[in-house]
């Protein structure tokens, strides 16, 4: 240990090798620690030449990093360098929690920079941020999570992997749905997730792209409705149908997709077209119902 003094009063303290500290309800392990007595700031460092990393252990989880700064007066923590954490807090849970798995399953995260503010109310994950719980994964350039508000924002290269049975109960349990977009807003209290900007949804049996995608959840957090808006394209991998329009609403329980457009168009694998102001497609049966200015174009079969 080393100490620096000014006018007879200690201004800085430094500790090296196997440092153990108590910081309120947190316990900390580090290779080196430095305390700024004037600000109450505590700086913790791992060993760059060895395997020792900084570890914070608290009532809500564990965090490891190359460097951690605790701003005690501001109730803020900043961690940098290969940051990883495990928490049981429901406040950072992914939108897919409640898909039939244990809702108390731990939430894991990894990023380069993590900040905890407002006494733990706001957590920000930056630079190659990734959060996962069970088989559900969220990746983005930056993810912000508010615990009490049960709200989450993701910005930049958003990529979400969810169990496919959330949006299609008949799908294999091991299948996944991949969602990519520029931004994501998730509200646990309103039970909705909104994806914005170049949205693409890839499921085992179909593909969808749009400018905006809204997902509505039931109380058990299973998906009830999917709403796509803005240059909607839906391709069904089983029947070969391709649907285009301006707005599509999918009822997960019935499998019906209601499409509106100028016009809404359904094309089958043979190139036959149905178009109108709106149409309804039942994904299970393949039946299409068209209304409002119906137009039909059939492609003749080739002669042998």
């Amino acid at each position: 240990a080393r100490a620096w003094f000014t006018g007879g009063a200690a201004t800085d303290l430094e500790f090296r090798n196997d440092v153990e500290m108590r910081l309120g309800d947190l316990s900390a392990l580090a290779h080196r620690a430095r305390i700024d007595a004037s600000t109450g700031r505590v700086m913790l460092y791992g060993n760059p030449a060895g395997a020792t990393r900084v570890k914070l252990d608290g009532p809500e989880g564990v965090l490891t990093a190359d460097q951690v700064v605790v701003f005690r007066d501001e109730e803020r923590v900043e961690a940098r360098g290969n940051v990883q954490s495990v928490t049981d807090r429901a406040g950072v849970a992914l939108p897919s929690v409640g898909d039939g798995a244990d809702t108390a399953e731990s939430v894991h995260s990894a990023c380069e920079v993590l900040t905890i503010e407002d006494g733990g109310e706001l957590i920000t994950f930056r630079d190659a941020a990734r959060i996962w719980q069970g088989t559900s994964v969220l990746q983005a350039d930056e993810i912000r999570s508010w615990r009490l508000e049960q709200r989450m924002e993701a910005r930049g290269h958003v990529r979400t992997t969810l169990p496919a049975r959330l949006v299609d109960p008949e799908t294999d349990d091991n299948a996944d749905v991949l969602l990519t977009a520029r931004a994501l807003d998730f509200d646990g209290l309103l039970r909705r997730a909104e994806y914005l900007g170049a949205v693409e949804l890839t499921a085992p049996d179909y593909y969808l792209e749009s400018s905006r995608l809204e997902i509505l959840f039931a109380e058990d957090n299973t998906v009830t409705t999917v709403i796509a808006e803005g240059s909607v394209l839906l391709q069904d991998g089983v029947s070969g149908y391709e649907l285009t329009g301006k707005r599509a609403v999918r009822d997960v329980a019935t499998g019906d997709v209601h499409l509106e457009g100028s016009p809404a168009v359904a094309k089958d694998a043979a190139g036959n077209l149905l178009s109108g102001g709106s149409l309804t497609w039942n994904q299970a049966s393949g039946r299409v119902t068209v209304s409002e200015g119906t137009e039909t174009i059939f492609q003749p079969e080739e002669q042998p």
Side-chain angles (χ1 to χ4, degrees):
R2 293 193 297 176
W4 287 260
F5 293 87
T6 300
T11 57
D12 291 271
L13 299 171
E14 184 179 73
F15 304 89
R16 288 180 178 269
N17 299 327
D18 300 325
V19 180
E20 298 184 25
M21 300 184 68
R22 293 289 301 180
L23 301 166
D25 56 359
L26 295 175
S27 63
L29 300 176
H31 172 70
R32 181 167 66 94
R34 184 155 184 162
I35 301 174
D36 185 333
S38 62
T39 63
R41 185 175 59 178
V42 179
M43 293 157 282
L44 305 167
Y45 303 90
N47 185 356
T52 303
R53 305 183 72 232
V54 180
K55 179 180 179 182
L56 290 184
D57 196 338
E60 295 176 337
V62 178
L63 179 149
T64 60
D66 294 336
Q67 175 183 334
V68 175
V69 181
V70 180
F71 301 84
R72 300 179 65 183
D73 294 342
E74 303 174 26
E75 295 187 332
R76 181 163 66 94
V77 175
E78 182 178 292
R80 291 180 175 271
N82 190 20
V83 184
Q84 300 182 43
S85 70
V86 181
T87 178
D88 295 328
R89 295 185 356 166
V92 299
L94 296 181
S96 60
V97 172
D99 61 325
D102 182 3
T103 56
E105 191 169 359
S106 296
V107 179
H108 299 254
S109 76
C111 60
E112 283 302 309
V113 181
L114 181 148
T115 57
I116 303 173
E117 302 175 77
D118 301 331
E121 166 58 15
L122 171 61
I123 302 179
T124 302
F125 311 83
R126 296 199 305 274
D127 299 341
R130 182 162 61 107
I131 299 176
W132 67 97
Q133 185 176 34
T135 59
S136 300
V137 183
L138 171 62
Q139 298 173 260
D141 295 340
E142 178 178 285
I143 303 172
R144 306 178 77 194
S145 174
W146 289 263
R147 176 176 58 172
L148 296 180
E149 297 179 18
Q150 297 182 34
R151 186 164 60 89
M152 180 182 291
E153 293 179 354
R155 297 291 185 268
H157 302 93
V158 177
R159 180 184 178 95
T160 308
T161 304
L162 304 172
R165 64 182 181 273
L166 286 174
V167 295
D168 189 348
E170 303 301 322
T171 304
D172 186 278
D173 287 347
N174 296 321
D176 291 326
V177 167
L178 175 63
L179 263 164
T180 60
R182 294 193 182 100
L184 163 65
D185 292 322
F186 171 69
D187 193 317
L189 296 179
L190 296 179
R191 303 188 186 283
R192 63 184 291 273
E194 182 182 26
Y195 290 83
L196 299 168
V199 182
E200 294 186 22
L201 185 155
T202 304
D205 296 333
Y206 65 93
Y207 167 83
L208 181 146
E209 62 181 42
S210 62
S211 302
R212 175 183 176 273
L213 186 74
E214 182 177 7
I215 301 176
L216 305 180
F217 300 86
E219 290 188 2
D220 63 353
N221 283 336
T222 54
V223 177
T224 60
T225 309
V226 178
I227 304 170
E229 294 179 329
S231 301
V232 178
L233 169 66
L234 175 61
Q235 297 173 329
D236 184 66
V238 177
S239 65
Y241 264 112
E242 180 177 289
L243 284 74
T244 58
K246 296 298 183 183
R247 187 175 190 269
V249 179
R250 182 173 187 268
D251 187 316
V252 173
T254 64
D256 287 341
V257 177
H258 182 72
L259 186 68
E260 300 173 357
S262 302
V265 179
K267 180 174 70 173
D268 65 14
N272 301 312
L273 293 176
L274 289 172
S275 66
S278 65
L279 62 84
T280 300
W281 170 56
N282 183 272
Q283 193 170 4
S285 66
R287 181 179 179 180
V288 178
T289 304
V290 186
S291 62
E292 301 179 27
T294 303
E295 180 181 0
T296 305
I297 301 176
F298 290 105
Q299 299 293 335
E301 296 183 3
E302 295 183 3
Q303 296 297 324

